[in-house]
Amino acid sequence: MAAGLKFIDPAKPPGVFARAYAAFAATRFARFISRHVNWKLDPFLLRVTRGRLATTLVFPTAVLETKGARSGTRRRNAIIYFHDGDRVTIVASNAGDSRHPAWYHNLRAHPEVTFGGIRMRAMVVNDEAERQRLWVLADRVFPAFATYRRDAAKVNRRIPIVQLNRRNSDAAN
């Protein structure tokens, strides 16, 4: 995939189809398919269509490449994202499951990642006021995140929010 991400403005409200698709994505059936099929299919679809198609359809998605926390093996996952200024924001929702997604553990162990073909550094957002601000934006981009948060809270899981910064800009500082 060519380096570069489409800029995603979280202030832009989702359209009718996006809201309907997000409602479907929040169903038990859709989450089952996401956990068992889409996570394998999406990196392939994004690669062969040069980032134009994923099972998320209307939601902005790109491939996150991490290094396995224990194995060191390169791992690829399709992740919904949006921009917050110069940073890219991703959410480790795992569709509201009781566990964090494996890619989250990988980037915690190895924060140097590639996202959409761009070398980046991952940072988990811990400040609660900042998390609340980002949740408002995240819910605009993918309304199903609200359902995922509720489900995760039922099993005492706090869904992490991660921000990605370009690595080459870090070198300039």
Side-chain angles (χ1 to χ4, degrees):
M1 182 183 327
L5 292 172
K6 178 180 174 188
F7 182 83
I8 303 302
D9 180 0
K12 182 181 174 199
V16 173
F17 180 76
R19 288 193 309 272
Y21 192 68
F24 170 72
T27 66
R28 183 173 287 171
F29 173 74
R31 287 191 279 181
F32 176 86
I33 296 299
S34 176
R35 286 186 192 123
H36 299 316
V37 178
N38 296 357
W39 76 273
K40 286 272 197 195
L41 184 60
D42 280 341
F44 171 77
L45 283 174
L46 287 163
R47 188 177 72 245
V48 300
T49 65
R50 295 189 177 165
R52 291 186 303 267
L53 179 65
T55 60
T56 55
L57 297 180
V58 296
F59 300 107
T61 306
V63 174
L64 173 69
E65 293 183 25
T66 59
K67 184 190 293 188
R70 289 180 291 204
S71 69
T73 304
R74 184 170 57 171
R75 306 287 186 196
R76 292 185 182 103
N77 296 92
I79 309 292
I80 293 173
Y81 73 96
F82 63 91
H83 284 85
D84 179 40
D86 291 339
R87 295 177 302 260
V88 174
T89 304
I90 59 177
V91 176
S93 70
N94 204 16
D97 194 50
S98 61
R99 296 168 288 127
H100 296 316
W103 62 259
Y104 174 73
H105 299 290
N106 294 342
L107 68 74
R108 291 289 307 236
H110 306 284
E112 305 296 320
V113 301
T114 301
F115 189 69
I118 301 169
R119 293 171 20 138
M120 301 183 126
R121 181 166 182 83
M123 183 181 71
V124 177
V125 177
N126 291 311
D127 178 74
E128 197 53 40
E130 182 67 358
R131 284 176 49 79
Q132 291 306 314
R133 183 184 75 80
L134 291 170
W135 274 125
V136 170
L137 301 176
D139 290 346
R140 286 183 193 150
V141 173
F142 186 60
F145 280 143
T147 301
Y148 297 172
R149 252 189 339 279
R150 280 193 299 274
D151 290 351
K154 289 176 187 174
V155 292
N156 297 316
R157 180 167 86 91
R158 179 179 182 235
I159 295 177
I161 297 175
V162 177
Q163 291 205 302
L164 307 173
N165 292 298
R166 287 180 185 258
R167 280 195 252 172
N168 58 4
S169 65
D170 290 347
N173 292 332

